[in-house]
Amino acid sequence: MARAQVDPYLETLMNSPSSEYDLAIVGGGPAGATAAMYAVRQGLRAIVVDRATFPRDKICGDALSGKSMSVLDELGLMQDVAGLKGAEIRHIILASPKAVGARVDMRNRSHYDPLTDRHVPMGGYVIRREVFDNYLLQEARRRGAQVREGFAVKDLLRDATGSVVGIEGQQDRSGPMEQIRARVVLGCDGFNSVVARRTGLYQHDPQHSLVALRCYYEGVEGLTDELELHFADEVRPGYFWIFPLEDGKANIGIGMVHAAMKRKNIDLRVALQQVLSRSPFAERFLNARPLEKPVGWNLPVGSKRRPAHGAGFLLLGDAAGLIDPFSGEGIGNAFYSARIAVGACAEAIAENDTSAASLRRYEDRLWEALGDELKVSHQMQWIGRMRPVLNFVINKAAHNEAVANHVCGMLANAVPKKDMTSPLYYLKLLFS
């Protein structure tokens, strides 16, 4: 693997207070922008670089709930986010392959987030990532982080021991190569992370990845304030979703486990059309119009613990494979990783030790916070493979308010999944 070395002249420049950063954050999405805001809070000098120019689209389900709400609240962003163009979510619907649905009213409910020590609303929002990500990045800039859009990272800088000490990249694809030195590099650049690739940690694993399609629509009948999750036979294990947006628009999509998709030779575009052309969806989409062609993306899920740290660097969010294996939601866990990463970096920098051994505290704390629920979400993903069990659970939820609240609350990341690690949970479900 090629290593970009810092030449003596640039090293002298970059060792000056005006050009050295505590954190070089690669990627300006939710993980990167949030990490920058936490860095400013900690008094760390941070720079965020992203190859895109914002606002830019990002393929996603666009939903915000649970952990996302608690971190936004802690950063003082809730009021602004509530005013962004999108839709407020007050209910969640979970529908089985037999089209039996469980519906939970999330109004006037709150949940406790142990990481931020806050009680926040159980509901949430659906806001297009083009809008939401741009807001977060500009807020990070406003709060004092340096931001460079249109900067493509090509390689990592390393010292004589091999430790990462910065990034090397190019502005607007035509400028000269530039080097930016930092105490720690945070890889917040998604599933195809340059940081993960250059450190040898990238590994695509179909058994631990989802593939999904998204398509924006207008004119879909029956849109309200509900997140709809339909566990359709066409994509088990996976689901079809309908999420409301502003001005009568909707984010609709379909996704499933990559390995199962390959094994069953499923074309997601064909599967999406099959779902839309049958009951109960054909009637709702009769006069609907797609606003784009379906677009797909890969989602590395947290059904296994991936290495996410090394000497001088950390991986956050999708780059660390933190997407929920069952719901496919990733923003909340990306936010968590940003908060935990910056705290770990602040300690390591104060100790003047950014070695792999020192930065391991990030990975250990991350999995202490998320490990149990990611394990349970993986178990729930396996439930999704078994049609009778899936029908049973959702039928129970449809006829039992306590079960519905718990199952739908977990999907909204608003109640802890740790409860499901106990066999007693399943006994209670069976006899409730």
Side-chain angles (χ1 to χ4, degrees):
M1 181 185 306
R3 290 178 177 174
Q5 298 293 335
V6 185
D7 65 57
Y9 174 69
L10 281 172
E11 186 166 20
T12 300
L13 288 178
M14 290 188 294
N15 277 329
S16 68
S18 62
S19 59
E20 181 175 331
Y21 295 89
D22 294 306
L23 303 180
I25 301 169
V26 182
T34 305
M37 285 186 259
Y38 277 119
V40 171
R41 277 192 164 197
Q42 293 272 11
L44 301 177
R45 296 190 66 227
I47 183 170
V48 183
V49 300
D50 197 294
R51 66 185 309 138
T53 299
F54 286 62
R56 56 92 178 100
D57 185 28
K58 183 72 173 179
I59 311 167
C60 183
D62 297 332
L64 303 168
S65 61
K67 299 188 200 74
S68 298
M69 305 298 284
S70 68
V71 170
L72 291 172
D73 185 54
E74 183 177 54
L75 288 171
L77 303 175
M78 286 281 276
Q79 184 174 351
D80 284 354
V81 169
L84 296 177
K85 185 178 290 187
E88 186 174 359
I89 298 304
R90 301 181 182 90
H91 299 84
I92 184 169
I93 288 181
L94 191 66
S96 72
K98 291 177 65 175
V100 174
R103 183 174 186 267
V104 171
D105 186 342
M106 295 189 290
R107 294 173 297 181
N108 302 317
R109 294 172 183 255
S110 65
H111 76 279
Y112 174 71
D113 179 26
L115 185 71
T116 60
D117 191 29
R118 299 178 107 77
H119 291 271
V120 295
M122 191 172 166
Y125 300 93
V126 182
I127 301 170
R128 287 178 294 113
R129 293 284 298 277
E130 182 177 6
V131 174
F132 182 66
D133 289 12
N134 183 56
Y135 163 73
L136 288 181
L137 186 61
Q138 304 317 321
E139 183 64 16
R141 175 184 273 134
R142 189 187 71 80
R143 294 188 179 196
Q146 296 294 309
V147 176
R148 290 186 65 176
E149 302 174 48
F151 186 94
V153 174
K154 303 295 185 181
D155 209 343
L156 303 177
L157 306 178
R158 298 176 185 268
D159 64 16
T161 69
S163 295
V164 174
V165 294
I167 57 177
E168 182 176 59
Q170 191 176 31
Q171 186 72 40
D172 300 325
R173 299 184 181 181
S174 59
M177 294 298 293
E178 299 180 50
Q179 297 180 331
I180 299 172
R181 189 178 181 88
R183 302 293 304 278
V184 184
V185 172
L186 304 186
C188 306
D189 46 343
F191 81 95
N192 199 25
S193 167
V194 172
V195 180
R197 287 181 179 276
R198 291 294 184 267
T199 55
L201 296 188
Y202 174 86
Q203 183 182 18
H204 177 67
D205 187 341
Q207 295 287 349
H208 299 279
S209 297
L210 307 177
V211 180
L213 292 180
R214 180 209 75 193
C215 189
Y216 289 132
Y217 264 79
E218 65 179 4
V220 179
E221 294 291 333
L223 295 177
T224 60
D225 57 3
E226 301 167 340
L227 286 182
E228 299 181 47
L229 304 176
H230 301 272
F231 292 90
D233 281 325
E234 288 84 350
V235 286
R236 283 187 298 109
Y239 63 84
F240 166 65
W241 73 82
I242 304 174
F243 296 167
L245 280 167
E246 76 281 357
D247 303 326
K249 297 182 178 67
N251 179 322
I252 72 106
I254 197 166
M256 70 181 301
V257 176
H258 190 190
M261 186 183 78
K262 292 175 64 177
R263 186 174 63 253
K264 297 179 181 180
N265 196 28
I266 290 176
D267 183 326
L268 285 185
R269 286 176 172 79
V270 173
L272 179 60
Q273 289 307 310
Q274 289 173 337
V275 171
L276 296 180
S277 63
R278 66 166 173 83
S279 180
F281 307 110
E283 297 80 6
R284 295 182 62 183
F285 283 82
L286 183 63
N287 298 312
R289 184 175 71 90
L291 301 175
E292 61 179 348
K293 292 183 178 180
V295 284
W297 79 108
N298 292 299
L299 297 88
V301 298
S303 45
K304 70 173 183 179
R305 177 169 173 167
R306 294 173 169 87
H309 81 287
F313 76 93
L314 302 175
L315 300 179
L316 283 64
D318 290 5
L322 298 179
I323 293 171
D324 189 283
F326 189 61
S327 71
E329 198 275 335
I331 295 177
N333 288 350
F335 280 169
Y336 256 42
S337 70
R339 188 184 191 278
I340 295 168
V342 172
C345 287
E347 293 174 19
I349 290 170
E351 296 164 2
N352 197 29
D353 181 4
T354 57
S355 65
S358 174
L359 291 176
R360 182 181 175 85
R361 71 187 84 192
Y362 158 69
E363 192 175 315
D364 289 342
R365 292 172 187 174
L366 182 67
W367 282 88
E368 182 180 351
L370 296 176
D372 282 345
E373 70 172 66
L374 289 173
K375 179 180 178 181
V376 173
S377 285
H378 190 210
Q379 295 170 348
M380 293 171 67
Q381 184 192 95
W382 276 96
I383 290 175
R385 299 171 188 264
M386 298 175 283
R387 193 177 194 270
V389 176
L390 192 57
N391 283 325
F392 169 77
V393 171
I394 297 177
N395 185 64
K396 276 285 184 181
H399 296 91
N400 186 302
E401 184 178 359
V403 175
N405 289 340
H406 201 68
V407 174
C408 293
M410 286 188 299
L411 282 168
N413 287 307
V415 298
K417 296 187 179 77
K418 288 184 178 181
D419 295 351
M420 292 186 68
T421 60
S422 168
L424 291 175
Y425 171 83
Y426 297 97
L427 290 174
K428 290 178 182 178
L429 179 64
L430 182 64
F431 294 107
S432 60

